[in-house]
Amino acid sequence: MAKIFSGVQPTSIPTLGNYLGAMHNFVTLQEGNDCIYCIVDEHAITVPQDPKEIQKNIRNLAALYLAMGIDPKKSILFIQSEVPCHAQLGWIMQCTSYMGELERMTQFKDKSKGKKAIPAGLLTYPPLMAADILLYQTELVPVGADQKQHMELTRDLAERFNNKYDDVFTIPEPYIPPVGARIMSLQEPTKKMSKSDTNRKATIFTLDPEKDIIKKIKSAITDDEAVVRYDRDAKPGISNLLDIFSLCSGRSVDALVAAYQGKGYGEFKTDVAEAVVGTLKPIQERYAQLIESSELDRILDEGAERAYAIAKETLRKTEKALGI
Ligand code: ADP
Ligand code: NA
């Protein structure tokens, strides 16, 4: 039985990468653990967001969490900005961080590159993420591989605070899945599949209609060897499709490689697309029902209340340790 926390930003519809790398595990981990899942809207505003758009995305993400199988009887589901302790502990974590270590974060470097005016929130995103996790005395954080560095910082900040003041925080471990932790772009398979990719063919969104999913997978970049085998360096496109296929079908990569010996990429891609559609379609059907229901608001209100009850205890201990 572990205490688990994770979040997703409501910056657009979650991608197949978000689902296979993180959200799919959120569902599995519900059994036998105490899970808290968050819609991290305060992280989303580290870059400018259209108010109408983000409001819609928050609701869409809540419905998607439930459609994917998050059960409010088993887990807490809530919106970050509805529990003020996140911003409060976030400030304390900023005061625990050093500029140098924040400037070294690769996500900060990527997102601030080429910008004339860099929002300060881009730099202080990781201390807020640390606060999210530490508020719940979290033991395990299911995330994709891109969050490894932020997780290390979270552990450093928790240890630094505990050593300097009092043993307030549990030191959390990342849980990065062995397969799927890095689902890659379909068009440039050496970079991660991302919500914000300007090439719309590169990313599958979890609410994409069947015909778009098929089209995107059919036009995925591969190589001209015409052999289905797994090699992340030499064959990043095919290897990425194998990971996706494996996760969506429940068959191992080895079994798939054996099954597609002597077969062409066309047939392979058709079957990958079918597996992805088969995974996403039931989620999309449940989503369509949930998005219309007032049930959603009730679940989120209750989630915020339950999260607050836990978070306020940690914040109280933290402030007491600081003497404020
Ligand atoms: P994004 O990085 O898409 O903006 P978030 O920061 O909200 O989305 O990430 C939500 C979760 O999805 C995180 O745990 C992150 O590590 C994971 N994730 C994001 N992109 C991918 C990907 N391409 N492959 C695997 N996991 C991913
Ligand atoms: Na991310």
Side-chain angles (χ1 to χ4, degrees):
M1 175 80 109
K3 288 191 180 130
I4 289 173
F5 178 95
S6 200
V8 177
Q9 298 186 61
T11 39
S12 82
I13 299 299
T15 68
L16 186 65
N18 295 139
Y19 178 63
L20 297 178
M23 299 176 85
H24 163 74
N25 296 315
F26 296 179
V27 178
T28 317
L29 288 165
Q30 286 186 115
E31 309 307 325
N33 296 298
D34 283 333
C35 297
I36 305 182
Y37 297 121
C38 188
I39 295 168
V40 288
D41 54 349
E42 291 170 329
H43 285 281
I45 61 166
T46 52
V47 293
Q49 299 288 340
D50 177 70
K52 283 212 180 67
E53 204 48 37
I54 189 167
Q55 206 162 72
K56 206 173 70 198
N57 283 330
I58 289 170
R59 204 177 159 79
N60 290 348
L61 181 54
L64 265 169
Y65 263 119
L66 298 172
M68 287 170 182
I70 297 304
D71 179 352
K73 288 196 201 72
K74 294 182 187 151
S75 303
I76 297 177
L77 176 66
F78 76 105
I79 301 171
Q80 185 185 27
S81 63
E82 293 187 351
V83 178
C85 310
H86 288 258
Q88 290 171 286
L89 188 65
W91 174 253
I92 295 171
M93 285 298 120
Q94 281 185 50
C95 297
T96 309
S97 313
Y98 301 117
M99 290 290 284
E101 63 191 349
L102 299 184
E103 283 166 351
R104 277 197 298 277
M105 295 291 120
T106 53
Q107 183 176 290
F108 170 71
K109 286 196 254 180
D110 289 347
K111 291 199 172 176
S112 60
K113 201 175 356 183
K115 279 203 172 75
K116 272 208 203 80
I118 301 165
L122 273 186
L123 183 71
T124 57
Y125 177 119
L128 179 59
M129 175 168 158
D132 299 339
I133 294 164
L134 299 177
L135 275 174
Y136 302 96
Q137 304 296 344
T138 304
E139 291 159 322
L140 211 59
V141 185
V143 284
D146 62 327
Q147 293 300 328
K148 197 163 173 259
Q149 202 184 25
H150 291 163
M151 279 305 305
E152 278 158 17
L153 182 78
T154 298
R155 291 166 56 88
D156 287 348
L157 296 179
E159 277 165 8
R160 192 176 299 160
F161 188 98
N162 284 356
N163 290 337
K164 186 151 190 207
Y165 299 103
D166 197 4
D167 247 334
V168 174
F169 301 119
T170 303
I171 311 299
E173 297 273 350
Y175 171 76
I176 297 172
V179 183
R182 262 179 91 73
I183 300 298
M184 311 308 275
S185 151
L186 297 177
Q187 290 298 312
E188 276 176 82
T190 50
K191 71 180 212 200
K192 80 160 190 170
M193 182 180 283
S194 154
K195 286 167 185 157
S196 53
D197 205 312
T198 47
N199 184 347
R200 304 306 278 179
K201 288 198 304 188
T203 307
I204 293 176
F205 293 91
T206 46
L207 292 180
D208 275 350
E210 177 169 353
K211 65 169 189 353
D212 291 6
I213 295 171
I214 295 170
K215 217 191 280 170
K216 286 176 184 179
I217 289 177
K218 290 252 156 139
S219 59
I221 298 298
T222 53
D223 53 67
D224 28 276
E225 193 192 28
V227 178
V228 176
R229 65 182 177 87
Y230 196 88
D231 183 336
R232 273 267 180 191
D233 298 320
K235 296 168 71 70
I238 289 292
S239 303
N240 188 39
L241 291 177
L242 276 166
D243 281 340
I244 292 171
F245 198 175
S246 171
L247 287 161
C248 290
S249 66
R251 296 161 73 185
S252 71
V253 167
D254 287 345
L256 291 170
V257 167
Y260 286 87
Q261 265 196 8
K263 294 184 181 164
Y265 287 173
E267 188 179 346
F268 175 67
K269 282 178 165 179
T270 303
D271 295 350
V272 176
E274 195 188 310
V276 173
V277 169
T279 297
L280 294 182
K281 211 164 198 178
I283 294 172
Q284 296 177 353
E285 284 164 5
R286 284 194 294 273
Y287 167 87
Q289 295 172 337
L290 284 159
I291 196 69
E292 299 300 336
S293 103
S294 59
E295 186 67 1
L296 206 54
D297 304 292
R298 194 191 58 73
I299 290 168
L300 291 170
D301 287 347
E302 195 190 289
E305 237 170 81
R306 290 167 66 198
Y308 179 67
I310 304 169
K312 75 173 199 305
E313 283 309 309
T314 304
L315 184 64
R316 191 183 56 76
K317 282 188 201 148
T318 311
E319 290 184 338
K320 185 165 173 247
L322 284 166
I324 63 172

